[in-house]
């Protein structure tokens, strides 16, 4: 049974940091590119960050580059999203997702390419 379980969300103030975690099970994690997406109320789900299945490439939405860092630990079947200098516009439900052999930005940045999704974790940034 495939599962992606996100954690680490919460309510923080602008400028604070959070680290999201996503623990995978039920599939061979090391062969999947991993992505983080988010969805704010009334808005479409959008790409935030991704890491290739080999771990040698990372990609970011322009507005988070330099503030967010995605990483993976294959031994723990976990992908992380370190979020620093949070802004109110970062408020959303954050989802992790897995894309078999995902490697390049053109595929990892598109939600439809992903095979598995987590249930999401809420991040709320207050001013």
């Amino acid at each position: 049974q495939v599962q992606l379980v996100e954690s680490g969300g919460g309510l923080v103030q602008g400028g604070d940091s959070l680290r999201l975690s996503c623990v995978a099970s039920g599939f061979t994690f090391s062969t999947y590119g991993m992505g983080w997406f988010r969805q704010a109320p009334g808005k479409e789900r959008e790409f935030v960050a991704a890491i290739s299945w080999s771990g040698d490439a990372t990609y970011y939405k322009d507005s988070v580059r330099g503030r967010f860092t995605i990483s993976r630990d294959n031994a723990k079947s976990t992908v992380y999203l370190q979020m620093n200098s949070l802004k109110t516009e970062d408020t959303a439900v954050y989802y992790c997702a897995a894309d078999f052999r995902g490697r390049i930005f053109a595929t990892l940045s598109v939600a439809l390419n992903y095979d598995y999704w987590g249930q999401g974790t809420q991040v709320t940034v207050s001013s």
Side-chain angles (χ1 to χ4, degrees):
Q1 178 184 357
V2 171
Q3 277 193 310
L4 291 172
V5 181
E6 302 98 332
S7 62
L11 172 62
V12 297
Q13 291 189 329
D16 286 351
S17 298
L18 280 175
R19 188 175 82 156
L20 305 184
S21 300
C22 172
V23 179
S25 61
F27 63 97
T28 306
F29 179 78
S30 61
T31 64
Y32 280 73
M34 298 300 296
W36 286 96
F37 289 75
R38 67 187 181 188
Q39 188 166 18
K43 294 189 177 181
E44 297 283 318
R45 188 171 298 192
E46 65 176 5
F47 169 77
V48 176
I51 185 166
S52 64
W53 69 270
S54 56
D56 60 352
T58 57
Y59 308 100
Y60 297 93
K61 176 181 174 63
D62 285 347
S63 63
V64 308
R65 187 176 291 112
R67 298 189 297 123
F68 291 10
T69 303
I70 188 170
S71 61
R72 65 188 299 155
D73 184 339
N74 288 344
K76 296 182 178 180
S77 296
T78 301
V79 61
Y80 303 98
L81 186 67
Q82 177 67 44
M83 306 187 295
N84 299 329
S85 302
L86 282 162
K87 303 177 180 181
T88 55
E89 52 262 44
D90 295 319
T91 294
V93 177
Y94 283 71
Y95 300 89
C96 73
D99 174 23
F100 181 65
R101 295 292 185 186
R103 178 171 176 76
I104 62 174
F105 177 77
T107 54
L108 288 171
S109 61
V110 177
L112 287 175
N113 290 326
Y114 284 79
D115 303 293
Y116 308 124
W117 289 84
Q119 83 290 345
T121 186
Q122 176 71 47
V123 172
T124 303
V125 184
S126 64
S127 58

